[in-house]
Amino acid sequence: MAKTDPVIIVIEDDPSIRRFLHTSLSTQGFKVFEVDTGKKGIVEVGVRKPDLLILDLGLPDMDGVDIIKTIRSWSTVPIIILSARSDEQQKIHAFDAGADDYLTKPFGFGELLARIRVALRHSMRPYEQSQTDIFITGNLKFDAVNRVVCVDNQEVHLTPIQYRLLMVLVKNAGKVLTHQQILKEVWGPSFKENAHYLRIYMSQLRQKLEADPAQPKLLLTESGIGYRLKVW
């Protein structure tokens, strides 16, 4: 399927709830990754750059509020809390730390799914408002709302990281982005010095988008600086 499935990371220490969420969300067209500790979750968010995060507050290694604060220091990914903690003050702490929504266990899957849809719609608003919901340059068409990428009117499948990389370039179309800027946006601040990640994924992206990847006309290299998406 050419359309990129939205990526959700579940940070939850209860294996039965993780299995339920993984199975149920996967049938709804989401790509789901699950972890059982806060530290693993923070790494997953930095590496995979998900579209949404589902977080339990009562984890064995870290308090959920601290996880929210850590992620919010470098990411605006929507965060939905799924917790047995029903105390009002706990909810206030979570929202003040940067959570977008809060659902108390036990929960109904239909309600969770509705809240996920709302969170994803809200997260797309900056792209809609900046008129990058449908971006066209040359033979490339990037539809941010429907998460579809086309070359010569043919849909192209991108992995989540490839899609995120292209989205950052589209958002800054025509501008030169340094290696460090791109790495921070796509992989997170801890990867700012890992330029080899960027070279690998840029090569993969060129293989899928360029007529001649060895002589790119769309994804241009600015020698010693970074990359630029050409606009014409």
Side-chain angles (χ1 to χ4, degrees), residues 152-169:
D152 292 327
N153 296 318
Q154 297 294 315
E155 293 185 4
V156 178
H157 173 74
L158 300 180
T159 67
I161 292 293
Q162 291 168 357
Y163 179 86
R164 176 72 181 179
L165 174 56
L166 181 59
M167 183 172 67
V168 169
L169 291 167

Side-chain angles (χ1 to χ4, degrees), residues 25-199:
L25 291 171
S26 295
T27 62
Q28 297 296 318
F30 297 102
K31 188 165 185 160
V32 183
F33 298 91
E34 49 177 289
V35 294
D36 58 359
T37 69
K39 291 179 181 177
K40 291 178 186 176
I42 291 170
V43 172
E44 284 289 286
V45 172
V47 171
R48 299 193 185 278
K49 303 299 291 185
D51 298 283
L52 185 133
L53 172 64
I54 297 176
L55 172 66
D56 178 23
L57 294 180
L59 295 166
D61 64 330
M62 293 180 67
D63 185 79
V65 171
D66 292 331
I67 296 171
I68 298 169
K69 290 178 179 178
T70 299
I71 292 173
R72 277 288 171 263
S73 69
W74 49 267
S75 174
T76 59
V77 60
I79 300 175
I80 296 180
I81 302 301
L82 197 58
S83 176
R85 300 178 184 177
S86 58
D87 180 72
E88 181 180 358
Q89 199 60 40
Q90 293 280 356
K91 295 180 180 180
I92 292 171
H93 287 326
F95 283 120
D96 284 345
D100 296 276
D101 205 345
Y102 198 114
L103 199 57
T104 304
K105 300 175 184 176
F107 62 96
F109 181 68
E111 182 179 2
L112 174 62
L113 194 60
R115 295 188 184 213
I116 288 173
R117 288 195 293 263
V118 170
L120 291 176
R121 283 201 301 271
H122 287 176
S123 71
M124 289 308 305
R125 283 180 180 174
Y127 300 105
E128 294 171 6
Q129 292 169 354
S130 63
Q131 299 181 338
T132 58
D133 50 332
I134 297 181
F135 171 86
I136 299 174
T137 182
N139 60 349
L140 171 70
K141 179 180 178 182
F142 180 89
D143 185 340
V145 173
N146 295 302
R147 301 178 64 88
V148 173
V149 176
C150 295
V151 174
D152 292 327
N153 296 318
Q154 297 294 315
E155 293 185 4
V156 178
H157 173 74
L158 300 180
T159 67
I161 292 293
Q162 291 168 357
Y163 179 86
R164 176 72 181 179
L165 174 56
L166 181 59
M167 183 172 67
V168 169
L169 291 167
V170 166
K171 189 168 66 172
N172 297 277
K175 300 178 183 177
V176 178
L177 293 177
T178 67
H179 298 116
Q180 288 75 20
Q181 285 174 323
I182 299 173
L183 284 163
K184 182 179 179 181
E185 286 286 324
V186 179
W187 283 274
S190 61
F191 289 81
K192 286 173 65 176
E193 303 304 320
N194 296 65
H196 62 283
Y197 284 159
L198 181 54
R199 288 193 295 271

